[in-house]
Amino acid sequence: MGCSECCLKCLSGIPYASLIATILLYAGVALFCGCGHEALSGTVTILQTYFDVVRSPVDALDVFTMIDIFKYVIYGVAAAFFVYGILLMVEGFFTTGAIRVLYGDFKITTCGRCVSAWFIMLTYIFMLAWLGVTAFTSLPVFMYFNIWNTCQNTTLVESSNVCFDLRQYGIVSIGEEKKLCTASENFIKMCESNELDLTFHLFVCALAGAGAAVIAMVHYLMVLSANWAYVKDACRMQKYEDIKSKEEQELHDIHSTRSKERLNAYT
């Protein structure tokens, strides 16, 4: 019985809302980083194999350099949000424990409330950042969808020669003419290969992961705001109880003093 009571007490102290948000955040970040990294690698293969885009020999800011930069950004995002998820989970544990024992001897410090407010502001900024990442990730999904949809309907475009010009997407400079037409042999090979289908669906999964991260940030905002409001109200109630008990003690001391004075005067 003692062991079961201990287990129930431990389970009651788990911040389930923060736990769900953390799992959703880790799943979204893992999906975005893993699928995004592999999709970028597939993009390099497609550009070099079928669009005949060559990496610049000098240290110029070409599309391949940008892809390498995006890969390093993905590494940083994975590490940063792994740490941030742990911090938010720890904050959830402390806040949940603080709320449960606040009416006992425990008191929340002003520093703790400031930390909670700081997490709210930081989470809001990260939510806006993930919204931007989601919008940015939708661009390659749209581009690959156009190419993939054309490959799925090759019989409909046999009569017309549809071309995909990389200059329209800003991938190459205006002076370079890198386009792929449906009547070319490279286009047919690209449609028959696995790189296009795999890269397209990897970008779709990365977009879904970014959306999951946005939902996790919104969930965290609700949890942090609710915890901060509960702790703030509980602290006010604790201060009220302290003032009330202090006044009652003063009244008790006054009555005791008067009773002693009357007893002394009587004797």
Side-chain angles (χ1 to χ4, degrees):
M1 187 63 182
C3 183
S4 61
E5 289 179 355
C6 181
C7 292
L8 291 175
K9 185 177 180 181
C10 292
L11 291 175
S12 64
I14 296 176
Y16 291 100
S18 297
L19 181 62
I20 293 172
T22 303
I23 294 174
L24 186 60
L25 176 64
Y26 281 167
V29 172
L31 196 62
F32 171 78
C33 293
C35 295
H37 183 276
E38 293 303 314
L40 290 174
S41 300
T43 300
V44 172
T45 303
I46 291 174
L47 290 176
Q48 290 178 337
T49 306
Y50 304 108
F51 284 89
D52 297 327
V53 181
V54 181
R55 185 183 291 269
S56 177
V58 296
D59 294 334
L61 191 62
D62 57 356
V63 60
F64 299 109
T65 305
M66 292 297 298
I67 288 176
D68 292 336
I69 293 174
F70 288 147
K71 287 183 178 181
Y72 285 116
V73 170
I74 285 176
Y75 300 150
V77 167
F81 278 92
F82 176 76
V83 176
Y84 191 67
I86 293 176
L87 291 177
L88 288 177
M89 193 64 192
V90 171
E91 196 273 344
F93 270 106
F94 277 106
T95 307
T96 302
I99 292 173
R100 292 185 183 280
V101 299
L102 187 61
Y103 291 98
D105 297 330
F106 189 84
K107 294 182 180 180
I108 296 294
T109 62
T110 305
C111 180
R113 280 175 287 171
C114 290
V115 170
S116 297
W118 171 256
F119 273 124
I120 292 174
M121 183 185 69
L122 201 59
T123 303
Y124 182 77
I125 295 174
F126 284 149
M127 183 198 69
L128 295 179
W130 274 110
L131 281 174
V133 170
T134 304
F136 183 77
T137 310
S138 64
L139 296 179
V141 171
F142 173 73
M143 290 161 37
Y144 272 104
F145 174 77
N146 290 333
I147 301 175
W148 179 79
N149 191 43
T150 304
C151 288
Q152 298 298 316
N153 300 278
T154 51
T155 56
L156 300 178
V157 296
E158 284 181 353
S159 58
S160 59
N161 191 22
V162 180
C163 296
F164 296 95
D165 197 340
L166 296 181
R167 293 176 296 182
Q168 296 177 339
Y169 303 105
I171 297 177
V172 296
S173 61
I174 301 297
E176 298 182 66
E177 186 178 353
K178 298 293 183 180
K179 62 182 180 180
L180 189 64
C181 300
T182 56
S184 64
E185 185 179 356
N186 278 344
F187 182 82
I188 298 174
K189 289 181 178 179
M190 183 180 65
C191 291
E192 293 176 351
S193 65
N194 295 325
E195 285 90 351
L196 178 64
D197 188 71
L198 180 61
T199 303
F200 169 61
H201 288 92
L202 283 173
F203 270 120
V204 172
C205 292
L207 179 62
V214 172
I215 297 174
M217 291 291 104
V218 174
H219 197 160
Y220 268 129
L221 276 177
M222 293 188 294
V223 172
L224 292 170
S225 300
N227 287 341
W228 186 80
Y230 291 153
V231 170
K232 185 178 179 180
D233 292 340
C235 287
R236 289 178 178 177
M237 183 62 68
Q238 185 66 38
K239 290 180 180 179
Y240 171 76
E241 294 292 338
D242 292 341
I243 294 173
K244 183 180 178 181
S245 61
K246 185 178 180 180
E247 290 179 351
E248 290 178 352
Q249 184 64 35
E250 290 177 353
L251 289 175
H252 177 72
D253 294 340
I254 291 173
H255 286 303
S256 298
T257 303
R258 289 181 178 178
S259 298
K260 289 180 181 178
E261 289 177 353
R262 290 176 182 175
L263 182 61
N264 292 333
Y266 178 77
T267 54

